[in-house]
Amino acid sequence: MMDYSDRIIIGSDHAAFRLKEIIKKHIEGIGYDIYDAGCNKEESCDYPIIGHEVTRIVKKENCRGILMCGTGLGMSFVANRRPGIRAALCHNEYTAEMSKMHNNANILILGSRVVAESMAIKIVDIWFNTEFEGGRHQRRIDQIDIL
Ligand code: RB5
């Protein structure tokens, strides 16, 4: 059920800059068209600025994104404020798989200080290769943005 464009918007703060570069290289290797919204160095910066920019583009282009910070929590708070964004903070294979199968997450979030680089790559691969199940899960997703 690929209902989005193939562009991947990626972003991190300084704490996850290194992980972002690794993930970027990995998904470029798979062949995805990537837009890197920053940050561009390990110098301290504010995660909400990057988080809001990535979610703005993901929503506008109906594509997918990957956000990273130290814990993944700050990016998660920011991303999930925007209606239409379902940002999943994943720590392992199971959460990566379920975030697509049941939640159809359009943003994956990783905590660079929480997951090892090898696990982060595994999570990304699972996230890209798992399909949304639809059905009752679509009905539940439709209820998320109703306030
Ligand atoms: C930066 O030190 C850290 O606070 C940030 O990367 C993130 O973990 C916030 O939630």
Side-chain angles (χ1 to χ4, degrees):
M1 219 174 282
M2 301 284 272
D3 54 354
Y4 32 65
S5 90
D6 246 5
R7 200 151 98 107
I8 309 297
I9 317 300
I10 192 166
S12 78
D13 72 352
H14 56 287
F17 171 73
R18 216 180 94 82
L19 181 63
K20 171 168 70 67
E21 296 305 299
I22 290 166
I23 297 297
K24 194 164 80 175
K25 210 165 155 196
H26 178 68
I27 57 179
E28 261 164 5
I30 300 171
Y32 284 109
D33 173 17
I34 295 159
Y35 173 71
D36 184 348
C39 63
N40 301 314
K41 49 186 182 222
E42 270 173 309
E43 199 172 294
S44 182
C45 65
D46 298 337
Y47 63 80
I49 308 292
I50 306 284
H52 283 308
E53 179 60 1
V54 168
T55 56
R56 184 188 69 75
I57 302 171
V58 165
K59 182 156 185 190
K60 184 167 162 260
E61 297 189 4
N62 189 30
C63 60
R64 287 169 295 176
I66 302 178
L67 279 170
M68 289 155 267
C69 63
T71 57
L73 291 170
M75 285 298 195
S76 187
F77 300 156
V78 171
N80 283 305
R81 293 236 157 175
R82 195 177 293 267
I85 294 296
R86 295 175 303 282
L89 174 55
C90 296
H91 294 321
N92 51 35
E93 292 100 325
Y94 180 70
T95 48
E97 191 179 22
M98 295 309 285
S99 76
K100 283 303 288 295
M101 276 171 74
H102 285 192
N103 309 115
N104 201 17
N106 47 11
I107 294 194
L108 169 66
I109 303 190
L110 298 165
S112 64
R113 295 172 179 163
V114 180
V115 290
E117 283 166 15
S118 57
M119 177 53 75
I121 287 173
K122 247 186 230 172
I123 290 170
V124 166
D125 286 343
I126 291 169
W127 194 68
F128 280 129
N129 291 316
T130 305
E131 293 214 353
F132 177 48
E133 283 181 352
R136 69 187 188 283
H137 301 297
Q138 184 59 56
R139 184 184 70 236
R140 290 163 187 167
I141 283 173
D142 292 340
Q143 295 168 11
I144 294 175
D145 287 330
I146 299 168
L147 298 177

